[in-house]
Amino acid sequence: MSEVLKVEDMSVTFDLHDSEVHAVREMNFTLAEGETLAVVGESGSGKSQAFLSIMGLLAKNGRATGRAVMGDVDLIGMAPKQLDIYRGKDIAMIFQDPMTSLNPTLRVKTQLAEVLVTHRNFDKQAAIKTSIEMLERVGIPEPVKRANAYPHELSGGMRQRVMIAMSLLCQPKILIADEPTTALDVTVQAQMLDLFKKLTEDFGTALVLITHDLGVVAGIADRMMVMYGGRAVETGKTDDLFYDPRHPYTLGLLHSTPHIAKRTARLDPIQGLPPSLEHLPQGCSFNPRCAFAFDRCHAERPPLTEAGEGRQKACFYEGAMKYGEVA
Amino acid sequence: MLGYALRRVLSAIPIALIAVTVCFFVLRLAPGGPFDGERALPPTVLANLRAHYNLDQPLVVQYLIYIWRLLQGDLGPSMVIDGFNVSQLISIGFPFTLTVAMSAFVIATVIGVIAGMIAAVNQNKWPDYVLVLVVMLGVVIPNFLMAALLQLWFGVYLGWLPAGGWVAGSIPHLVLPVTVLAWPHAARISRLMRGSMIEVLGTNFVRTARSKGLGQRLVLARHAIKPALLPVVSYLGPGMSYLLTGSLAVEQIFGLPGIGKYFVTAALNRDYGVVLGTTILYMFIILALNLIVDLVYAWLDPKVRYR
């Protein structure tokens, strides 16, 4: 399969009053056509900022460097005007909070149709018609009525469906979903994931799923990338990482997820807190919380290197990892 | 939307009645009366005058007579300016005042909204700083001083514009008064607009609009302006009433033939009919403006229509 996005050495920096914070450092990955990549990490691991920078949506004090090549264009550092040719058409994004992500003063159909008018030169009527078809496709009952509604007249799940419909109108090559199910009811979450899976398959859209919910990842992602302190620490096929994690952080994440089959009395959370991006520890960022850390981990930072077929990790520790013996 | 409009109109009626009542009685509480001249009138003449204007009746009866006439659209006679009734005086002066105030209103609103947007989009860059400076001048300099300064510069030193007075139909005579009146209004609106625009530009739905690749112009025009206008619109009603009342002073400064002249002299002379009539007129205008503001608000914010 051909790749639709190739990110090389991408870093994101925010200027603060008298310092700067590196939210993302030297990120490298490729996204293949139609695949689903899950980006996993705690709050503050840089997962959202990495993709906002690809969309050119960083806050004013944010800067991105490196390359994010889609087709034959590099999206990083592109002028907003240029970026508008691709945003919404070839690369679309869905945000975490469906309650505030739609414009409260515009009807649903207006917000959908404008995408087609802008990118596909549809006239208004045709755009509305196509939008209503898309609403039906994402499972909204009475799509004509909903299209004429304002966002506040819809439930959270319904609004997220509207967001999905909106993002897929131009059948983009890449869809970035930033915690699309976090703000939703658990029952709605599963439906939403099924919908993602089905639609991205139908359209051949590559999906980037930014989440901290490993349950979400297991059900839908082909590959996953685990982020910690602004860097990718382990990447690989979802199954490989789930059954045979090679980075202590991935292992810790898996152990802090409740599992219905294992009736343990307590969860094992990862000890400590995620590091402040302003004061990352010397050596490996994870070393203060790592049970396997040894001298080298405190001295130098492990680079992301090949660790078996189709997977990479950033860790010096090569021994077996059994969580029970260290926790 | 129509039901909403109707409800708002009906709710204005009791407010109008209360306002008229309060004005009527407060005015009568003030010491003195329309016939207390420097030279006392002979008692019989005074008695006849008071009988003619029903001033010899108990206050409540006078009030009921006034309300009864008001309902028929009659604002009563002027008690000081002989041979004129209040409606005539208003019809002479008010169109002029309204023209001045409305021109200032429209100009100030348009300039204020645009300036606020420019400042917000260029937050903390030079256009923002320049606009803040110009705006602050309008806010901190009181209108009588601003009027004098502009008269001096443009009327006397540069000689570009007439410093005062009125020639029928002459627009140059209106430029300075309208500027003095509009400046602080534009200033307040641009502050409001800047603040709300900055807030709206930071919202998630504007980020969504940007993520759709709509382009800066469409993002601003379709997604940001409407919600950003909400605080501005709620200011416009009271803002217009400031302009109408502010116009009274500005007319005096520039010697313009608006209603201000009558209102000020009537208040000093206790010309009950004229003061009440003018106040009621202003009240109706303000009620109507607030109604319009409410309707515009409902158009801007769909959630309001259901409250």
Side-chain angles (χ1 to χ4, degrees), chain A residues 46 48 74 79 121 171 238 261:
Chain A
S48 293
D74 179 6
N121 292 321
Q171 312 204 348
T238 306

Side-chain angles (χ1 to χ4, degrees), chain A residues 55 57 84 87-88 95 100-106 111 114-115 118-119 150 152-153 163 166, chain B residues 121 123 204-205 207-208 210-216 218 222-223 226-227 300 302-303 305-306:
Chain A
M55 294 292 290
L57 296 173
D84 282 334
R87 291 196 279 207
F95 302 96
T100 59
S101 293
L102 289 167
N103 191 321
T105 64
L106 296 174
Q111 304 190 45
E114 63 184 0
V115 178
T118 304
H119 292 297
Y150 287 94
H152 70 269
E153 298 168 298
M163 285 295 291
M166 196 154 83
Chain B
V121 174
Q123 193 191 351
N204 285 346
F205 63 83
R207 187 178 62 183
T208 305
R210 290 198 198 288
S211 83
K212 292 195 280 186
L214 298 178
Q216 175 82 341
L218 202 53
R222 187 178 291 162
H223 286 266
K226 256 174 107 179
L300 285 173
K303 284 183 223 168
R305 289 173 215 169
Y306 297 88

